[in-house]
Amino acid sequence: MLFPGIPLLLFFASLEQVRAKYESRLESIKRIDGDTETLFEFNLRVIGRDNLANGSMNFLADLSDEFEVSTLLYVLQRGEWRSSNIGVCYKSCTYIAIIYATYFAPSFKDSNFPIDKESCPIKKGEYYVRNADLSGATWANFGKTGLNKCIITIRKDDVVFGGLEVVVVLTEQRF
Ligand SMILES: *[C@@H]1O[C@H](CO)[C@@H](O)[C@H](O)[C@H]1NC(C)=O
């Protein structure tokens, strides 16, 4: 189920209360190829003892409002990935302004990828990301203890043009 804008804002408004609950660790990142062609390539991998995201993103087209970005969260339960019923889908510029700029961009400390919420469209080109600590990515707090998978796809008319699958492990935070 994809939530439109208002319920989403309510979700994020209540986020502060749950933020302290989990510690998250990045487990893996995999690129998702397009259905017929991949215009947005995410060549990222997890490196080092701190499980940081590193690599490059190669955009073969401008990421403009022609495209939508969808994010869906899955939780591993009894060996199966189940939809958590949490997901958002926005046109690219809205996604960048609301979701990306707030929840992902702060992790991109060493990157030439635009982090400004007004950076839209994102021009085609190759962007690097070095040692991004996604463990603080607050979307993880929507998950449950254990393995959680976030599937981000860039699409147009229900055709996927690239994306990435990010798996994090959430553990209860000890006080
Ligand atoms: C990290 O990413 C940068 C930028 O893409 C790349 O130059 C470097 O080789 C990568 N390091 C590792 C260990 O993969």
Side-chain angles (χ1 to χ4, degrees), residues 15 18 21-22 73-75 84 86 138-149 168 170 172:
L15 193 61
V18 286
K21 209 167 136 189
Y22 294 123
L73 187 64
Y74 296 82
V75 178
S84 69
I86 292 176
T138 45
W139 57 265
N141 289 294
F142 293 120
K144 294 199 161 68
T145 305
L147 284 173
N148 292 261
K149 179 163 76 172
V168 296
L170 298 186
E172 298 278 340

Side-chain angles (χ1 to χ4, degrees), residues 43 45 47 53-57 126-131:
N43 301 310
R45 59 194 195 101
I47 61 162
N54 195 80
S56 64
M57 301 184 281
E126 181 144 17
Y127 299 98
Y128 68 85
V129 181
R130 286 195 197 102
N131 303 328

Side-chain angles (χ1 to χ4, degrees), residues 54-171:
N54 195 80
S56 64
M57 301 184 281
N58 196 11
F59 286 12
L60 305 176
D62 288 356
L63 182 58
S64 68
D65 260 352
E66 245 187 290
F67 295 94
E68 289 177 337
V69 186
S70 137
T71 302
L72 294 170
L73 187 64
Y74 296 82
V75 178
L76 191 71
Q77 282 175 321
R78 290 184 291 276
E80 265 178 67
W81 288 111
R82 287 171 203 275
S83 168
S84 69
N85 285 337
I86 292 176
V88 292
C89 188
Y90 281 123
K91 281 184 182 284
S92 295
C93 292
T94 309
Y95 189 89
I96 288 160
I98 296 184
I99 308 292
Y100 167 74
T102 314
Y103 297 98
F104 294 98
S107 308
F108 287 7
K109 297 211 163 65
D110 185 359
S111 175
N112 60 348
F113 197 78
I115 54 165
D116 196 312
K117 64 176 190 225
E118 267 119 57
S119 313
C120 201
I122 291 180
K123 294 280 172 211
K124 69 177 176 188
E126 181 144 17
Y127 299 98
Y128 68 85
V129 181
R130 286 195 197 102
N131 303 328
D133 181 4
L134 295 179
S135 68
T138 45
W139 57 265
N141 289 294
F142 293 120
K144 294 199 161 68
T145 305
L147 284 173
N148 292 261
K149 179 163 76 172
C150 183
I151 294 189
I152 301 172
T153 49
I154 299 175
R155 39 178 81 224
K156 179 161 67 170
D157 302 331
D158 268 340
V159 178
V160 173
F161 287 93
L164 68 165
E165 182 190 298
V166 182
V167 175
V168 296
V169 183
L170 298 186
T171 43

